[in-house]
Amino acid sequence: MTTIALPGTLSLGLARGSFELRQFFRNREQVVFTFALPAVLMVLLGSILNGPTAQAGLSSGQLLAAGMIGSGIVSTSFNGVGIGIASDRELGALKRLRGTPMPAASYFVGKMVMVAVTSLAQMVLMAVVATLLFGLKLPDAPSKWLTLLWVLLLGIVSSTLLGIAITSLTRTTTGTVAVVQLVYLVLQFISGVFVTPITHLPKIMVDIASFFPLKWICQGFRSVFLPPEAATQEMAGAWELPTVALVLGVWCVVGLVLARVSFRWTNEAR
């Protein structure tokens, strides 16, 4: 009797990722909202708040734009994944997937593939807009491109896993939208996304924000798109890239544990 080997976890995840991408780009409203909202916010806030800073040659619009590029990645991963999973669960799509050989890990990989592609596209879009409107400079050294790569990767993984985990707190799509948007909005304010430079914020707020990925993702992106002298606009007066890597790496591990333990295919109690 011939035994047919089932595809591995990774191959199933990549196949699922391909399906997630097709599903995402077929939904025009979702595509427009995902890409347009962060860019529009950046244009509006950057235009209103743009002005000189204490650092010569650096505008508050550039500070805001660099941080919002990182914030847009979190919107795509944390918000988008959390709301998407809640919707799939409410519609019964996850219950049907549970009856297939695909493990939860492959489903997670599929979400990350979708987020990676959409995040990269969004980052390019926002970088182009920020370059044209606010004079933001693209990375000019290989080391900055390398920093961009690992901050993007760690940001996507940590935020996606946390987006999966947070869906365990609610049972409806409406409830999930409310929770993720509230968490994301609060973190944007206390992480120095909307208030630039971050030193204008009360220290207690920044201390709280320092426990979460968003603050460090935005700081990493500022180190990539802004000149070295701009580090003086950070709370520590430095980019603290080792700390950025450490915090995001820890959240990748914590997020994986939380996602694996809390993830459920249906709204039924375990």
Side-chain angles (χ1 to χ4, degrees):
M1 182 177 179
T2 302
T3 301
I4 300 176
L6 293 174
T9 300
L10 180 59
S11 58
L12 282 173
L14 294 176
R16 178 66 193 180
S18 177
F19 171 80
E20 293 275 359
L21 282 170
R22 292 196 302 272
Q23 187 179 48
F24 173 80
F25 284 107
R26 285 171 181 168
N27 189 333
R28 295 181 181 178
E29 292 83 2
Q30 184 180 10
V31 171
V32 171
F33 181 81
T34 299
F35 290 125
L37 181 60
V40 169
L41 280 176
M42 182 177 68
V43 171
L44 292 176
L45 292 175
S47 300
I48 294 170
L49 304 175
N50 196 22
T53 66
Q55 178 66 47
L58 180 68
S59 70
S60 55
Q62 291 171 329
L63 272 174
L64 182 138
M68 286 205 70
I69 293 175
S71 178
I73 303 305
V74 177
S75 174
T76 303
S77 51
F78 177 72
N79 293 25
V81 168
I83 295 170
I85 289 177
S87 177
D88 287 345
R89 184 185 293 140
E90 193 170 48
L91 293 173
L94 290 188
K95 187 174 184 179
R96 292 191 292 272
L97 282 177
R98 190 181 188 182
T100 70
M102 186 180 68
S106 296
Y107 181 73
F108 296 171
V109 171
K111 287 294 183 184
M112 287 184 190
V113 169
M114 185 270 290
V115 169
V117 174
T118 55
S119 293
L120 183 60
Q122 185 181 74
M123 183 182 68
V124 171
L125 171 64
M126 295 185 70
V128 169
V129 172
T131 299
L132 295 176
L133 296 185
F134 306 114
L136 196 69
K137 302 294 183 183
L138 295 179
D140 55 1
S143 60
K144 286 197 171 188
W145 284 107
L146 180 60
T147 299
L148 175 65
L149 180 62
W150 65 256
V151 172
L152 177 65
L153 179 61
L154 291 178
I156 286 173
V157 173
S158 60
S159 299
T160 300
L161 290 171
L162 290 174
I164 294 171
I166 203 170
T167 60
S168 65
L169 300 178
T170 61
R171 292 188 175 276
T172 65
T173 304
T174 303
T176 303
V177 171
V179 170
V180 299
Q181 294 290 8
L182 177 61
V183 171
Y184 179 56
L185 183 61
V186 170
L187 287 178
Q188 280 183 302
F189 275 103
I190 68 175
S191 299
V193 178
F194 294 151
V195 180
T196 57
I198 194 173
T199 51
H200 288 172
L201 286 169
K203 185 176 183 299
I204 183 63
M205 286 188 179
V206 182
D207 288 343
I208 294 172
S210 297
F211 284 101
F212 301 98
L214 180 59
K215 186 258 186 188
W216 300 102
I217 293 172
C218 294
Q219 188 166 312
F221 272 88
R222 285 195 291 268
S223 77
V224 169
F225 289 102
L226 300 177
E229 298 79 13
T232 58
Q233 305 297 310
E234 301 295 332
M235 293 297 289
W239 295 128
E240 302 179 285
L241 292 180
T243 305
V244 173
L246 175 62
V247 174
L248 294 182
V250 168
W251 273 111
C252 287
V253 176
V254 172
L256 179 59
V257 173
L258 291 176
R260 189 65 189 91
V261 170
S262 65
F263 179 73
R264 61 180 191 270
W265 296 98
T266 69
N267 281 327
E268 300 170 4
R270 292 187 176 185

